[in-house]
Amino acid sequence: MDKIETQIGGIEKIDEAVRLLHEGEVVVIPTETVYGLAANALNAKAVKKIFLAKGRPQDNPLIVHIEDANKAKMVAVDIPESAYLLWEEFSPGPLTIVLKKHPLVPYVTTAGLETVGIRIPNNELALETIRRSNLPLAAPSANISGRVSPTEARFVYDDMNGKIPLILDGGPCKVGIESTVLDLTKETPTILRPGAITEDMLSACLGKVVNHKGKVVRAASPGMKYAHYKPMCACFAAKTSDEAKELYNHFTNSLVIARQDFLDTCDVDNKIHLGETPEECMRNYFRILRENENIYDVIIIESFENEPQYLALQNRIAKATEKPDKI
Ligand code: TXA
Ligand code: MG
């Protein structure tokens, strides 16, 4: 791939972003979850450039971003009433809904699937780019495949400099982890990836929702089988501060990240406060990993295994701490 100059800009660069998108180029957009590497979802050649820039496996489908529920008909067919109920309640927001794909959506976008994931992001720069371009935008997280998702433009730049022409900088992402992916093509709505919109919130809107907690989902959501959210250094999860300290002392140059109570009882030199609420912890998590993965050899993260309200974050922690022999 030829090296190109990567620009970073804000609202003043939207028109340029729109021009590039119409020319079939890839542009980074901020969203409330993580930054996205966007291209015209209906243009197979443009979408291929996303896979190339990320080094993403071809069998991992992309999420298509639209600006409001009325546009869903451009990319999906047989849309059930439940999808509109969900959009009414949670959009714009961190929810991706999997529906039957429209014939005009190329198979590169959906990685050969007959379904398509659709999301309305809660970020004005992103929404304005989609509105002005009048295009549905396919966008995976804007990191090199397998690496930690970027929650600030500087992290995108680290991974994408020289590969894409433009990054729209919308500041730090407010949610901080990727959207909940909900499959509505199954008999019972099924959560394929946990996120800030929880099972309880979805069931309150729809009735029964299935959450396989990442098990069966490996087959259902192709992306889940790949290594994800992996920092450059080794990572471990620790259930107690004693366990964290033991791991910390076992290695040289380690760091502990956790909530305050955990840190207070963990007698080590290098420690960083993750946050106190699920929202705060989700918002800070990827940033802290990105800021420290090249400084420390080992990062030890508090485990939230038995706290259901931290399910989405724990899913990311499990991925970061997975042993390398698993894919
Ligand atoms: O918050 C987000 O969702 C971010 C921002 C940029 O919108 N995007 C994101 O994209 O996380 P990505 O490509 O990193 O993750 C997409 C996930 C993958 O696990 C993929 O397998 C799943 O969504 N997915 C996409 N389309 C699907 C489909 N048709 N059926 C099942 N799973 C799908
Ligand atoms: Mg990703």
Side-chain angles (χ1 to χ4, degrees), residues 31 33-36 56 60-63 65 96 98 113 115-117 119 139-141 178-179 181 192-193 220-224:
T31 84
T33 57
V34 302
Y35 277 73
R56 182 178 177 105
N60 193 356
L62 306 181
I63 292 170
H65 298 70
T96 294
V98 174
L113 297 178
T115 57
V116 60
R119 179 162 117 75
S141 51
E178 305 84 347
S179 61
V181 179
L192 302 181
R193 179 176 70 183
S221 188
M224 297 302 276

Side-chain angles (χ1 to χ4, degrees), residues 105-164:
V105 178
Y107 284 113
V108 232
T109 302
T110 65
L113 297 178
E114 292 301 336
T115 57
V116 60
I118 302 176
R119 179 162 117 75
I120 305 171
N122 189 13
N123 178 289
E124 251 327 295
L125 268 186
L127 288 172
E128 193 55 25
T129 306
I130 302 170
R131 263 183 228 120
R132 283 199 215 170
S133 68
N134 200 25
L135 294 172
L137 297 183
S141 51
N143 51 281
I144 290 171
S145 198
R147 289 204 54 201
V148 174
S149 298
T151 54
E152 292 183 32
R154 61 187 166 125
F155 301 137
V156 177
Y157 190 81
D158 287 344
D159 282 15
M160 293 298 154
N161 181 25
K163 296 183 190 162
I164 51 146

Side-chain angles (χ1 to χ4, degrees), residues 3-4 6 28 45 47 49 66 75 86 141 145 148 150 185 188 204 219 228 240 264 310 313 322 324:
K3 206 165 157 55
I4 48 178
T6 302
V28 170
K45 253 171 112 175
V47 171
K49 291 183 186 171
I66 57 175
V75 287
L86 289 167
S141 51
S145 198
V148 174
T185 69
T188 312
H228 266 99
T240 62
D264 285 346
Y310 284 86
L313 179 61
E322 229 168 39

